[in-house]
Amino acid sequence: MTGFLVKRFLQALVVLLLVSIIVFVLLHLLPGGPARAILGPKGTAQQIARFNELQGYNKSLPLQYFDYLGRLFHGDLGLSYKLNQPVSDLLAERLPKTLVLTALATLLAVVVAVPLGLLQAVRRGKISDYLLTAGAFLAYATPVFFLGLILIIVFSQTIPIFPSEAPQGETVAGIFSGFSGMVLPIVTLALGIIAMFSRYMRSATLDNLTEEYVRTAMAKGQSSRRILARHVLRNAIIPLVTLLGLYLPTLFSGALVVESMFNYPGMGLLFWNAAQGSDFPVLLGVTLVVGVATVLGSLLTDIVYAVLDPRIRSVS
């Protein structure tokens, strides 16, 4: 197990290094360079030269990259030229709120999708299986923004149960103080995940129901419910563990749309506003954080995968 963890950790470090290189290259691929992109078309040659000198962009690229790494290790992601605040402070303020939104949406998706997938597998070919499959395909194929619009029209305007705007608290506690405003964003983000997870769960359950250990358990007289709960569920849920770790970029893209629709003060809304205002330090800072989160999520997935299935450790 130790060798497996060390190997995966070293691989994660290499990928993190590659992520930092990609973000660094993106910064230098901005039209006209970082100085022109930030100062705009009216920036004079003297202003650009002075900016490059102050920011260290007049050095060679290798030296710039090592300076960039040094700033990253100290938590310096640059300065937002639109908000006049350090990017690290903006992310520290917004990231917990996005984590709360995505975590609650994912938790809701797993709690709903796992029983749905099991039910579809057990009742394969029945009318309930067809109805749930059709609903899953419809939810998965519908864009997130359209799902959000439908929920707003139905549950905020036609039947005014929930507000159409998310709570605007500055802290996570402030967000929870107006939790009714969180219902529609969470459900909007969770619907597409439920559709995909339930399909994976159905497929994995059907595969496991044909295994020898299921027939052996049935031959021993165990009930179908006991076999599903104690044997099939643990093996069928392994693909979902992998999916959860690799689904982080998709979750963020969904959160970006949901946060902009419901005016939720998270990292997705920060990214959207930065894109609207060409605030490149914020855009690159968010990109770096999402890349790091994806790598760490993949590493965590490998660890949980190995715990659930010891065979993975023996072949890795």
Side-chain angles (χ1 to χ4, degrees):
M1 182 69 172
T2 303
F4 172 81
L5 293 178
V6 170
K7 181 180 178 181
R8 288 293 185 267
F9 183 74
L10 292 176
Q11 290 175 347
L13 285 179
V14 172
V15 176
L16 286 175
L17 184 63
L18 292 175
V19 169
S20 69
I21 292 174
I22 291 172
V23 173
F24 176 78
V25 171
L26 287 175
L27 177 64
H28 287 78
L29 288 178
L30 294 174
R36 176 60 66 189
I38 292 168
L39 296 178
K42 294 184 179 180
T44 64
Q46 292 80 6
Q47 290 173 331
I48 291 176
R50 180 58 177 166
F51 181 88
N52 287 334
E53 181 181 353
L54 290 174
Q55 299 297 324
Y57 293 136
N58 57 345
K59 300 178 182 178
S60 64
L61 285 179
L63 285 178
Q64 288 186 47
Y65 177 69
F66 285 117
D67 288 344
Y68 174 71
L69 279 184
R71 292 196 301 271
L72 287 183
F73 283 125
H74 290 87
D76 183 4
L77 297 176
L79 182 72
S80 169
Y81 297 100
K82 298 293 183 180
L83 301 175
N84 197 29
Q85 287 182 260
V87 175
S88 55
D89 291 349
L90 291 171
L91 294 181
E93 178 186 348
R94 303 295 188 96
L95 181 58
K97 300 172 187 177
T98 296
L99 290 177
V100 168
L101 174 63
T102 55
L104 291 176
T106 304
L107 179 62
L108 175 63
V110 172
V111 169
V112 175
V114 170
L116 279 182
L118 288 173
L119 176 63
Q120 287 179 268
V122 172
R123 301 187 62 82
R124 180 185 183 184
K126 304 291 180 62
I127 184 65
S128 57
D129 180 30
Y130 291 131
L131 289 176
L132 290 173
T133 298
F137 279 128
L138 182 63
Y140 186 68
T142 305
V144 175
F145 74 89
F146 190 68
L147 287 173
L149 286 175
I150 292 175
L151 291 177
I152 290 173
I153 292 172
V154 174
F155 296 106
S156 183
Q157 296 180 358
T158 305
I159 310 174
I161 301 175
F162 303 109
S164 59
E165 184 179 57
Q168 300 299 304
E170 295 184 0
T171 62
V172 173
I175 294 295
F176 278 105
S177 65
F179 193 76
S180 61
M182 290 285 291
V183 173
L184 293 184
I186 290 173
V187 174
T188 301
L189 188 57
L191 281 175
I193 310 174
I194 291 172
M196 185 177 65
F197 282 8
S198 64
R199 297 301 300 162
Y200 272 88
M201 193 65 194
R202 177 184 183 275
S203 178
T205 302
L206 288 174
D207 290 339
N208 279 274
L209 286 175
T210 61
E211 296 290 337
E212 292 289 342
Y213 72 86
V214 174
R215 287 193 287 269
T216 301
M218 293 178 65
K220 291 181 178 179
Q222 295 187 20
S223 65
S224 299
R225 183 173 299 179
R226 182 181 177 87
I227 293 172
L228 281 174
R230 296 197 59 182
H231 302 289
V232 174
L233 178 60
R234 177 173 179 176
N235 291 285
I237 209 170
I238 290 177
L240 280 190
V241 174
T242 305
L243 201 61
L244 280 171
L246 301 178
Y247 203 65
L248 283 175
T250 307
L251 268 176
F252 175 74
S253 64
L256 190 154
V257 176
V258 170
E259 289 181 10
S260 60
M261 284 189 64
F262 293 95
N263 197 32
Y264 181 81
M267 202 165 65
L269 184 60
L270 176 67
F271 187 89
W272 173 261
N273 291 333
Q276 296 288 96
S278 299
D279 197 346
F280 296 107
V282 173
L283 294 175
L284 294 175
V286 173
T287 302
L288 180 65
V289 169
V290 173
V292 170
T294 303
V295 174
L296 294 180
S298 180
L299 176 62
L300 182 61
T301 298
D302 287 336
I303 295 173
V304 176
Y305 204 106
V307 172
L308 291 176
D309 192 349
R311 294 172 298 177
I312 303 300
R313 302 196 296 265
S314 62
V315 299
S316 299

